[in-house]
Structures are given as structure tokens and as C-alpha cells.
Amino acid sequence: TAIPTEQIFTAGSFGKDASPMVAVSKGHDFAFKNVGTIIIVPLKGEAKILSATLESKNHKIAGAATISVNEASDWIPTVDIANGKNKVILSCGDGVDLKDEATNFVFVLAPSTGEYEDLTITFEDSDYNEYKIDLPKREYSRSGSFTLKERTFN
């Protein structure tokens, strides 16, 4: 199982295969549990976004993962990305045209074991301008979805 280090922009959601799940069972019935956490960045403006990079200076946030699920953890998956990467690149293909109404850019990353204090997102447009956002220090829990306040690329 892996949380992809390169994810493909998909309008209104995360990209295909970006958010792995695991099945757990206490008998004959299965329940599916999300492995990662989701960060949503609403962005508007007058630019064509080619890519966005979510990066951590000190933590592995994507890549090959070892998932553990057992009765001791109350059947809640734990994620180990010891040999992972410290960034996720959201590829926008030919570009995403920003408008007056915000477009959601969605990242999937490994949940934190404690707080991520050093996450930064950098958007790059077709004119090679960059827009950086420092994310708040917080715990990003497994199966969580965190939406940042709307921003304007300028």
C-alpha cells in the first residue's frame, strides 16, 4: 500500500488511487477504513496552476506504507511511512484555470503521529510564479479532512 508521492488533480476530489483504504473485520463483515488524511486548499485568482507541492521539512508524508490493524488498536489502522518521501506533488496536467470562485486542490498524505509543524504548499502557475502557504501546526489525523481558508493566488 502507498500514499502516492505524485497525485493527479481532479476537480472536486482527490485523484484516482490517491487515497488508499484497508478492510478490517471482526468476523464475517468487513469495514473499510481510510489510511490517509486529506487537506483541501480553496484557491481563486487569475492564473493557470500547473502544479502544487505539499512539503514537510522533517516528516515523511507519502510513499510506500506499512499498515497495521489489530484488536489492540481497536481495529483502527496505523500507518508507517519510514521509507517515504517528504513531499506530495499535485500535477495539474495542462493547467487548472483559476476563477473568481475558488477551486479546491486536494492532497492526500500520511496522518501525523503527533503534530506536523512544518507543512508548506507551493503552487506554481504557467508563468512560473509561485504562491506559498504555510499550514498551521496541528495533528492531521487518519481519515480526517482539513479545509484551509480560501486564498487568492496573486
Side-chain angles (χ1 to χ4, degrees), residues 37 77 105 115 127:
T37 187
F105 290 82
E115 292 183 334
D127 293 325

Side-chain angles (χ1 to χ4, degrees), residues 106-123:
V106 182
F107 294 88
V108 179
L109 68 154
S112 59
T113 54
E115 292 183 334
Y116 286 150
E117 72 283 345
D118 63 345
L119 294 178
T120 301
I121 299 174
T122 304
F123 290 89

Side-chain angles (χ1 to χ4, degrees), residues 94-150:
D94 292 333
V96 175
D97 290 315
L98 297 181
K99 300 179 172 77
D100 290 337
E101 185 176 318
T103 299
N104 287 334
F105 290 82
V106 182
F107 294 88
V108 179
L109 68 154
S112 59
T113 54
E115 292 183 334
Y116 286 150
E117 72 283 345
D118 63 345
L119 294 178
T120 301
I121 299 174
T122 304
F123 290 89
E124 185 176 320
D125 74 1
S126 58
D127 293 325
Y128 304 104
N129 296 309
E130 290 186 346
Y131 179 70
K132 290 187 184 246
I133 302 170
D134 292 321
L135 276 65
K137 177 181 178 179
R138 67 168 299 150
E139 182 175 349
Y140 292 90
S141 58
R142 184 204 60 79
S143 199
S145 177
F146 304 93
T147 303
L148 301 181
K149 70 178 186 175
E150 187 176 281

Side-chain angles (χ1 to χ4, degrees), residues 2 5 16 22 27-28 31 44-45 49 57-58 65 68 70-71 75 107 117 131 133 138 144 150 153:
T5 56
K16 183 178 185 254
V22 294
H28 296 291
K44 64 182 184 176
I49 302 299
K57 292 182 185 110
N58 301 311
S68 301
N70 57 50
E71 192 170 3
W75 303 104
F107 294 88
E117 72 283 345
Y131 179 70
I133 302 170
R138 67 168 299 150
E150 187 176 281
F153 187 104

